[in-house]
Amino acid sequence: MPKNPHDSDVTFIKALAELLNENDLTELQVKRDYGENDSLNVRVSRKQEVAAQIAMPAAAMPAMPAPAAAAPVSGEATSPADDPANNPGAVTSPMVGTVYMQAEPGSPSFVNVGDQVSEGDTLLIVEAMKTMNHIPAPRAGTVKRILIEDGAAVEYGSPLMIIE
Amino acid sequence: MPKNPHDSDVTFIKALAELLNENDLTELQVKRDYGENDSLNVRVSRKQEVAAQIAMPAAAMPAMPAPAAAAPVSGEATSPADDPANNPGAVTSPMVGTVYMQAEPGSPSFVNVGDQVSEGDTLLIVEAMKTMNHIPAPRAGTVKRILIEDGAAVEYGSPLMIIE
Amino acid sequence: MFEKILIANRGEIALRVIRAAREMGIQTVAVHSTADSDAMHVRMADESVCIGPPSGTDSYLSIPAIIAACEVTGAQAIHPGYGFLSENANFVQIVEDHDLAFIGPTAEHIRIMGDKITAKDTMKNLGVPCVPGSDGGVPTLSEAKKLGEEMGYPVIIKATAGGGGRGMKVAQNADEMEHAFMTARSEGKAAFGNDEVYIEKYLTTPRHIEIQVFGDGKGKAVHLGERDCSLQRRHQKVFEEAPGPSITPEERDRIGKVCADAVARINYAGAGTVEFLYENGEFYFIEMNTRLQVEHPVTEAIFGVDLVREQIRVAEGRPMSFTQDDLVINGHAIEVRINAEKLPEFSPRPGTITQFHAPGGLGVRMDSALYDGYKIPPYYDSLIAKLIVHGRDRASALARLNRALSELIVDGVDTTVPLFHALLQEPDIHSGEYNIHWLEHWLETNLQD
Amino acid sequence: MFEKILIANRGEIALRVIRAAREMGIQTVAVHSTADSDAMHVRMADESVCIGPPSGTDSYLSIPAIIAACEVTGAQAIHPGYGFLSENANFVQIVEDHDLAFIGPTAEHIRIMGDKITAKDTMKNLGVPCVPGSDGGVPTLSEAKKLGEEMGYPVIIKATAGGGGRGMKVAQNADEMEHAFMTARSEGKAAFGNDEVYIEKYLTTPRHIEIQVFGDGKGKAVHLGERDCSLQRRHQKVFEEAPGPSITPEERDRIGKVCADAVARINYAGAGTVEFLYENGEFYFIEMNTRLQVEHPVTEAIFGVDLVREQIRVAEGRPMSFTQDDLVINGHAIEVRINAEKLPEFSPRPGTITQFHAPGGLGVRMDSALYDGYKIPPYYDSLIAKLIVHGRDRASALARLNRALSELIVDGVDTTVPLFHALLQEPDIHSGEYNIHWLEHWLETNLQD
């Protein structure tokens, strides 16, 4: 999610919403990156009712208590394309546990957005079974985003940070 | 971060949406990368398999004893197109019962293939509950085919003859 | 013993009978209208016969078509299910005249119980308690007041020629009698040209309690306790349970024996239900249904019996497979009727089932003719599934109902499932404190748009 | 009492536990691998935690992941289902060390029963009958012959160091003893460098009979009769029934009491199964499973109990909800295991379920995690559904099984359903005359391509 939404972003999204309505679509996805590589990634879909229900049986189970976006889920958007876990720079949790951003309460965070990290630098700690597991950077790069908060619960595969 | 290629993007996506609608597609994916390598990646799909499966559950029930081609069924081909009941000249049975082609054993048949009949002429008898029901020709014409045999059982709607 | 039977019905009840027959090794013939060619009962039966166009009158109610279907398939007996021809004495007579067996009581018993007045007289003579009332017309106010004192207020004064609520007045006490009596008379006169009125005890908050009976047609009969079916909307039951939460074992034994003895004395054959209003510990006969009830599975659950199998056995001339002593209640069962209807109006919603997923696990029974892709035709009843749960006690049955409803998926049409989710939030449902007016009341206050 | 429990399993058994918990008002946490994100147990639970990649070793068998999942969700107890960590004493110890409750027996009981020799010694001391055999090695032929006379032929001579069938010889009578004894010794010597042998009674056509026991962990225990699970392929049960067709009420009471007394004396907690070989009226202990069995629903059906609910109760420290006197057998139940496997090789067939339709009606229970569109992952067990039927007697249960199988639809993958259709054609299945070799024999002669 953009941190400082421009008016033009709003206009853009509004235009997409209208498009969706006018054309009776059910889904419209855009991935944009006008940075170095100037890329665009569009997905437009109009699912037939039946196909939709079959393809997304979770949605077709309204009576069933929603598989609660359980504690461990990081609270990010759920659409697959938005999911930071799909970002090629994502560092995901190798285990279930509780995240600590610093070595101990009061200490500075291991890393902050914008930091340069080397491969093997500790990014954060995941505590599981009273054990503090240091999660190392899988590669050198810049911390682009931090996707979890101190004290949050994570499950296996939860995206933690984006390092590019 | 945002430049302003929005308008052109909207136009582009709008064109895709219309394409989707016009062509009765269900999905359309574009991946564009006008950076160094200038690549384009398109996916267009129109799903109908799922709907088809839902529409034909009979075929999907192999474990179930086939609704036995019960006695009353006339034994003709089963493909809908071949089904004589769909022939515009078909005369169908208005009731369940047993067919007799002649007034009594030994008598000549009411009609034979090639006969000219007038509206109201008896074509055959359907016996039900010991009652002999004369089945009249619904219109004048030529008996093109006789679809049942003397003594056969028929259900409601079973094709009896084709008169054209 | 039968080798082949025909089921003169459709939907879940046709399936119910096919299942029992198949388990007994009996071949089945399904009949169907042109609208039901793809119906589950047609798929499940060994043979099928199309008997007419969509209209029920010309298909499932067509006696000649059904008899002819027996003739062409060689079926020896007909199970009528419920509804359609199940309580048509004329049909039963014709079935018997064609040397076919009717899986149900005799035409005479159906005829007697089909006429409300004859039924009440018959049952009264057989010792079954009825609503106290005047024997015929009550000509004078003083006589009316005397009757009011005798049977206890409130009472209802009804025009003999009346119907549809007109010419009916309730008197809560002796003071109200004069006004009620006069008004009923004058309304009767105005509406029906007849000012004769009769008087009955008026029940304010009764429950609907029905006793399941079963006779062998030869003078033996048993009862299988009661069902409480008080939760009704416009006289349609929506939620039934057994045993009834308000009925004591002593009451059950007493009224059950009265009913079993009554049907035994008339040599009743097969399943029957004696329906009562129940208030303040007293039972008041309403009518007898001479057929299998929609809600029979709750009785099957708590007694561990197969009532359809038993119906077929008795129709074959065999004895019942259980005695009164064999019939011991085990736990508690609840049925909810799932209709293809849109709330809050309960308007029928035929359509295509895009996904059907039945709940599973312990103590759950689904009776339904649904399948993925099934098209519910608009011509017939909107009942599409019955969910029956069985637990060790009432609380666990309710918990199981809640659990099972949360697993059920019926997609593509609106159903009454949300009603049951809502009912399970109600303390009165959990305490079992409801009567025949409860649901209507509740709907008025809770199911507005 | 627990407010939230975690189910350390997947598939139908995870669903089974979720259903019981939901009916008890307990919140549930499902754990799952990345391959099971769309699995039914994940959908049905109140919360879910992804604990690892597809490999069972790194997910459902990962003790740290499961303990951490409890920590982050606040689950107070863990139900292990069957398989995976259900009989891992080390896991149970760790669970307890983390102040979590394990819904099952103690680590010590699991450890004792997990070691075949300790288990046998323990059970023998507790009065449970075991296979007669020599106490340790038999050095001479004359001693071997003496033992043969004592325990009765046939006997089997096994190399102490042996395994995998090598160094094992059967002597049908005294005449064969010399040859068998010498051969076993020399094979043992050749294969394992050790010619010590021991001798056990050899059972030729035993049945697999297992006794369901249940203890409160405080010295009380009951038995819930037996299950006959003799129909096995490569030691995998495929068809289980209760009561066992060969077991008399007297035998049941006797062996049941022996088992219940044994587990009571060690303060066993929760569900357990004492497995026996049964031949000529005698029971011979094989092993004890310290967990819920796959086939527990047949026992639930005939006793009208919920074993998972009972497990949870006992883990909460509450007493059992039934006594031995409450446990009365009602009817007969059969379970068939439906695997995603292709006959005749029984090769696993993961894939997508294009249509799933469960059988319904009276006396039918489906325990399955299937749904329309579900993708069976290739990483785990091929069991996809258990169909359990309950009838008034064995014949009606078999008829119901036949009927229910004819309604079941599992499209998209090959399943073992055709095996059960075929078995229901076999007179031996209807007479109940089978033993642990029957199915392998039958498969050899009937399921060739």
Side-chain angles (χ1 to χ4, degrees):
Chain A
M1 296 299 107
K3 284 170 186 164
N4 38 2
H6 289 229
D7 288 348
S8 58
D9 277 344
V10 173
T11 314
F12 180 53
I13 292 163
K14 195 178 167 200
L16 294 182
E18 283 165 1
L19 216 88
L20 200 79
N21 258 349
E22 279 165 26
N23 291 283
D24 197 24
L25 306 178
T26 58
E27 203 179 314
L28 206 163
Q29 276 184 10
V30 181
K31 267 194 177 178
R32 206 175 54 176
D33 206 336
Y34 295 119
E36 289 166 19
N37 292 329
D38 188 317
S39 74
L40 172 72
N41 190 339
V42 177
R43 183 169 169 220
V44 178
S45 87
R46 196 180 58 140
K47 281 182 189 153
Q48 283 161 358
E49 230 178 297
V50 174
Q53 262 148 358
I54 297 292
M56 309 189 300
M61 293 182 163
M64 207 167 276
V73 171
S74 62
E76 289 291 316
T78 49
S79 137
D82 288 354
D83 191 343
N86 295 341
N87 188 306
V91 178
T92 58
S93 178
M95 63 187 66
V96 182
T98 304
V99 165
Y100 296 109
M101 303 304 292
Q102 56 279 313
E104 51 195 61
S107 302
S109 292
F110 292 109
V111 294
N112 292 294
V113 172
D115 286 0
Q116 293 287 332
V117 293
S118 304
E119 183 180 333
D121 285 359
T122 293
L123 300 177
L124 47 72
I125 283 171
V126 176
E127 185 215 328
M129 291 180 70
K130 318 288 176 223
T131 305
M132 301 296 167
N133 303 281
H134 287 248
I135 308 300
R139 60 189 162 276
T142 305
V143 177
K144 290 281 184 182
R145 286 172 71 189
I146 295 178
L147 303 161
I148 28 77
E149 285 173 15
D150 188 58
V154 289
E155 55 188 343
Y156 174 84
S158 288
L160 303 171
M161 296 185 183
I162 293 176
I163 294 178
E164 281 172 350
Chain B
M1 163 167 118
K3 290 192 231 166
N4 229 337
H6 290 169
D7 291 346
S8 61
D9 278 347
V10 170
T11 313
F12 179 53
I13 292 164
K14 193 175 171 197
L16 295 181
E18 283 164 1
L19 216 86
L20 201 78
N21 251 352
E22 281 164 26
N23 294 283
D24 199 25
L25 307 178
T26 58
E27 201 175 315
L28 207 163
Q29 268 187 9
V30 180
K31 271 192 180 174
R32 199 175 62 178
D33 209 334
Y34 294 120
E36 291 164 21
N37 293 327
D38 189 352
S39 73
L40 176 70
N41 191 341
V42 178
R43 180 169 174 235
V44 178
S45 86
R46 205 177 65 148
K47 280 184 200 154
Q48 270 173 350
E49 327 137 61
V50 176
Q53 263 153 0
I54 296 293
M56 306 191 302
M61 293 182 161
M64 205 167 280
V73 171
S74 64
E76 286 293 313
T78 50
S79 139
D82 290 353
D83 190 342
N86 295 341
N87 188 307
V91 178
T92 59
S93 178
M95 64 187 69
V96 182
T98 304
V99 164
Y100 296 110
M101 303 305 292
Q102 56 280 313
E104 52 193 62
S107 301
S109 293
F110 291 107
V111 294
N112 292 295
V113 171
D115 285 1
Q116 294 286 331
V117 292
S118 305
E119 183 180 332
D121 284 0
T122 292
L123 299 176
L124 48 73
I125 283 171
V126 176
E127 185 215 329
M129 289 181 70
K130 318 286 174 225
T131 305
M132 300 296 168
N133 304 282
H134 286 247
I135 307 301
R139 59 189 162 277
T142 305
V143 177
K144 289 284 180 180
R145 285 171 72 190
I146 294 178
L147 303 161
I148 28 74
E149 284 174 16
D150 189 58
V154 289
E155 53 188 344
Y156 174 85
S158 289
L160 303 171
M161 295 186 183
I162 293 175
I163 293 177
E164 284 171 349
Chain C
M1 315 229 280
F2 303 138
E3 280 160 24
K4 191 189 279 190
I5 66 173
L6 182 142
I7 298 103
N9 215 304
R10 64 183 299 283
E12 69 85 19
I13 194 61
L15 229 65
R16 172 70 189 87
V17 178
I18 291 170
R19 284 171 170 151
R22 177 156 295 164
E23 292 177 11
M24 296 173 84
I26 299 171
Q27 298 281 301
T28 51
V29 179
V31 295
H32 65 94
S33 72
T34 52
D36 275 343
S37 304
D38 289 331
M40 194 64 137
H41 75 286
V42 176
R43 289 156 182 259
M44 285 239 334
D46 297 300
E47 298 175 41
S48 67
V49 181
C50 181
I51 53 168
S55 155
T57 316
D58 299 327
S59 52
Y60 299 105
L61 287 166
S62 166
I63 296 176
I66 287 165
I67 300 289
C70 279
E71 290 175 343
V72 300
T73 58
Q76 300 149 290
I78 298 178
H79 195 298
Y82 52 69
F84 290 127
L85 295 168
S86 62
E87 292 177 290
N88 184 320
N90 181 42
F91 173 60
V92 177
Q93 194 59 62
I94 292 170
V95 169
E96 284 168 5
D97 289 349
H98 281 78
D99 291 328
L100 298 166
F102 180 77
I103 301 172
T106 60
E108 191 203 346
H109 288 147
I110 293 176
R111 200 170 283 123
I112 289 171
M113 296 304 167
D115 180 86
K116 290 221 175 192
I117 294 168
T118 316
K120 191 172 167 181
D121 288 349
T122 306
M123 286 309 232
K124 207 170 184 177
N125 289 336
L126 289 166
V128 175
C130 296
V131 178
S134 57
D135 292 326
V138 180
T140 66
L141 176 60
S142 63
E143 213 168 313
K145 286 190 169 176
K146 191 162 149 264
L147 278 164
E149 293 306 319
E150 276 173 24
M151 62 182 76
Y153 286 95
V155 299
I156 186 162
I157 301 103
K158 295 179 176 175
T160 305
R166 282 187 299 177
M168 287 169 62
K169 289 291 150 194
V170 174
Q172 296 292 346
N173 50 50
D175 292 344
E176 290 184 18
M177 182 55 105
E178 180 168 356
H179 179 70
F181 184 77
M182 294 309 181
T183 310
R185 284 187 71 127
S186 59
E187 281 189 17
K189 180 82 181 173
F192 314 107
N194 182 346
D195 69 359
E196 191 183 56
V197 296
Y198 65 102
I199 300 183
E200 274 182 355
K201 184 166 176 61
Y202 183 66
L203 305 172
T204 51
T205 53
R207 287 170 173 269
H208 175 111
I209 302 287
E210 56 185 36
I211 305 292
Q212 175 72 54
V213 292
F214 209 99
D216 69 354
K218 297 163 185 168
K220 277 194 196 130
V222 296
H223 74 89
L224 293 94
E226 79 286 356
R227 294 182 285 260
D228 189 325
C229 313
S230 301
L231 289 171
Q232 303 186 0
R233 178 186 171 273
R234 303 203 179 159
H235 303 288
Q236 294 295 309
K237 299 164 187 167
V238 302
F239 174 111
E240 302 105 343
E241 60 182 312
S246 64
I247 306 297
T248 65
E250 295 69 32
E251 284 178 314
R252 175 177 309 118
D253 290 348
R254 177 172 62 85
I255 193 70
K257 188 171 188 322
V258 165
C259 294
D261 287 351
V263 298
R265 275 171 60 194
I266 60 171
N267 294 330
Y268 187 84
T273 299
V274 188
E275 296 194 330
F276 293 95
L277 291 178
Y278 171 83
E279 193 171 81
N280 297 326
E282 296 295 332
F283 293 87
Y284 304 100
F285 173 76
I286 317 171
E287 61 173 334
M288 177 165 178
N289 293 327
T290 52
R291 54 167 166 84
L292 197 67
Q293 303 275 98
V294 176
E295 59 271 23
H296 76 276
V298 293
T299 300
E300 294 185 323
I302 64 169
F303 286 102
V305 299
D306 182 337
L307 288 174
V308 177
R309 183 188 189 96
E310 209 64 22
Q311 285 186 301
I312 295 172
R313 276 180 68 98
V314 165
E316 287 173 333
R318 294 155 76 192
M320 289 188 286
S321 69
F322 41 67
T323 64
Q324 191 66 56
D325 289 343
D326 295 330
L327 296 168
V328 180
I329 292 180
N330 175 16
H332 195 95
I334 301 173
E335 172 183 287
V336 295
R337 299 194 191 186
I338 297 167
N339 293 347
E341 290 173 354
K342 188 172 188 314
L343 304 181
E345 313 85 10
F346 291 83
S347 45
R349 280 289 185 276
T352 300
I353 300 296
T354 52
Q355 190 173 17
F356 172 60
H357 186 90
L362 183 60
V364 173
R365 168 177 173 184
M366 267 305 261
D367 275 34
S368 173
L370 295 185
Y371 59 84
D372 290 345
Y374 174 60
K375 289 188 178 62
I376 303 169
Y379 310 103
Y380 316 106
D381 195 86
S382 59
L383 178 73
I384 53 172
K386 302 188 314 201
L387 169 59
I388 303 102
V389 292
H390 182 211
R392 297 204 98 189
D393 51 35
R394 190 168 187 274
S396 66
L398 283 165
R400 188 155 287 159
L401 176 61
N402 186 44
R403 187 273 289 174
L405 282 169
S406 77
E407 289 180 33
L408 172 66
I409 300 173
V410 180
D411 277 348
V413 296
D414 288 298
T415 74
T416 50
V417 167
L419 170 66
F420 302 114
H421 281 295
L423 287 179
L424 284 172
Q425 306 296 318
E426 290 297 324
D428 287 352
I429 298 299
H430 287 272
S431 64
E433 282 162 21
Y434 53 76
N435 57 54
I436 60 166
H437 307 302
W438 189 94
L439 183 61
E440 293 278 10
H441 260 278
W442 183 87
L443 287 170
E444 273 166 34
T445 47
N446 288 275
L447 266 196
Q448 300 311 313
D449 256 328
Chain D
M1 316 228 284
F2 302 138
E3 281 162 23
K4 190 189 278 189
I5 66 174
L6 181 144
I7 298 103
N9 216 305
R10 63 182 301 283
E12 68 85 18
I13 194 62
L15 230 64
R16 172 71 189 87
V17 178
I18 290 170
R19 284 169 169 153
R22 176 156 295 163
E23 292 176 10
M24 296 173 83
I26 299 171
Q27 297 281 301
T28 51
V29 179
V31 295
H32 65 94
S33 73
T34 52
D36 275 342
S37 303
D38 289 331
M40 192 63 137
H41 73 285
V42 176
R43 290 155 181 258
M44 285 241 331
D46 297 299
E47 298 175 41
S48 68
V49 181
C50 180
I51 54 168
S55 155
T57 315
D58 298 327
S59 53
Y60 300 104
L61 286 166
S62 167
I63 297 176
I66 287 165
I67 300 288
C70 279
E71 290 175 343
V72 301
T73 57
Q76 300 149 290
I78 298 178
H79 195 298
Y82 51 70
F84 290 126
L85 295 168
S86 62
E87 291 178 291
N88 184 320
N90 181 41
F91 173 60
V92 176
Q93 194 60 61
I94 292 171
V95 168
E96 285 167 5
D97 290 348
H98 281 76
D99 291 328
L100 298 166
F102 180 76
I103 300 172
T106 60
E108 191 205 346
H109 288 147
I110 294 176
R111 199 170 286 121
I112 290 170
M113 297 303 167
D115 179 86
K116 291 224 173 190
I117 293 167
T118 317
K120 189 173 167 181
D121 288 349
T122 306
M123 287 308 232
K124 207 170 183 176
N125 289 335
L126 290 166
V128 175
C130 296
V131 178
S134 57
D135 292 323
V138 180
T140 67
L141 176 61
S142 63
E143 212 169 315
K145 285 192 168 173
K146 192 161 148 270
L147 279 164
E149 292 307 319
E150 275 172 25
M151 63 183 75
Y153 286 94
V155 299
I156 185 162
I157 301 104
K158 295 179 179 177
T160 305
R166 281 188 298 178
M168 288 169 61
K169 288 291 150 193
V170 174
Q172 296 292 347
N173 49 50
D175 292 343
E176 290 183 17
M177 183 55 104
E178 180 167 354
H179 179 70
F181 184 78
M182 295 309 181
T183 311
R185 283 186 72 129
S186 59
E187 280 189 17
K189 181 82 181 174
F192 314 105
N194 182 345
D195 69 357
E196 190 182 56
V197 296
Y198 65 100
I199 299 183
E200 273 183 355
K201 184 167 176 63
Y202 182 66
L203 304 172
T204 50
T205 53
R207 286 169 175 269
H208 175 111
I209 302 286
E210 56 185 35
I211 304 293
Q212 175 72 55
V213 292
F214 209 100
D216 70 353
K218 298 163 184 169
K220 277 195 195 128
V222 297
H223 74 88
L224 293 94
E226 79 286 354
R227 296 182 284 261
D228 190 325
C229 313
S230 302
L231 289 171
Q232 304 185 359
R233 177 184 172 274
R234 303 203 182 158
H235 302 288
Q236 294 294 310
K237 299 163 186 168
V238 303
F239 175 112
E240 303 104 344
E241 60 182 311
S246 64
I247 306 298
T248 65
E250 294 72 32
E251 284 177 313
R252 175 177 310 119
D253 290 347
R254 177 173 62 84
I255 193 70
K257 188 170 187 322
V258 165
C259 293
D261 287 351
V263 298
R265 276 171 59 193
I266 58 172
N267 294 329
Y268 186 84
T273 300
V274 188
E275 295 194 330
F276 294 96
L277 291 177
Y278 171 83
E279 193 170 82
N280 297 326
E282 296 295 330
F283 293 86
Y284 304 100
F285 174 75
I286 318 170
E287 61 174 334
M288 177 167 179
N289 294 326
T290 53
R291 53 163 168 85
L292 197 69
Q293 304 275 100
V294 176
E295 58 273 22
H296 76 276
V298 293
T299 300
E300 293 185 323
I302 64 169
F303 286 100
V305 297
D306 182 337
L307 288 175
V308 177
R309 182 189 190 96
E310 209 64 22
Q311 286 187 300
I312 295 173
R313 276 180 69 99
V314 165
E316 288 174 331
R318 295 155 75 191
M320 290 188 287
S321 69
F322 41 67
T323 65
Q324 192 66 57
D325 287 344
D326 295 330
L327 296 167
V328 180
I329 292 179
N330 174 16
H332 194 96
I334 301 172
E335 171 182 286
V336 295
R337 299 193 193 189
I338 297 167
N339 293 346
E341 291 174 354
K342 187 171 189 312
L343 305 180
E345 314 84 12
F346 291 83
S347 44
R349 280 289 184 277
T352 299
I353 301 297
T354 51
Q355 190 174 17
F356 171 60
H357 186 91
L362 183 60
V364 172
R365 168 178 174 183
M366 266 306 261
D367 275 34
S368 173
L370 294 185
Y371 60 84
D372 290 346
Y374 174 61
K375 288 187 178 62
I376 303 169
Y379 310 103
Y380 316 106
D381 196 86
S382 59
L383 178 72
I384 52 171
K386 303 187 315 201
L387 169 60
I388 304 102
V389 293
H390 182 211
R392 296 205 96 188
D393 51 35
R394 191 168 186 274
S396 66
L398 282 165
R400 189 156 286 159
L401 176 61
N402 186 44
R403 186 274 287 176
L405 283 169
S406 77
E407 289 180 33
L408 172 66
I409 300 172
V410 180
D411 277 349
V413 296
D414 287 300
T415 75
T416 51
V417 167
L419 170 67
F420 303 113
H421 281 295
L423 287 179
L424 284 172
Q425 306 296 318
E426 289 297 323
D428 287 352
I429 298 297
H430 288 271
S431 64
E433 282 163 21
Y434 53 75
N435 56 54
I436 61 165
H437 307 301
W438 190 94
L439 182 61
E440 292 277 11
H441 258 277
W442 184 86
L443 287 171
E444 273 166 34
T445 46
N446 287 275
L447 266 196
Q448 300 312 313
D449 256 330

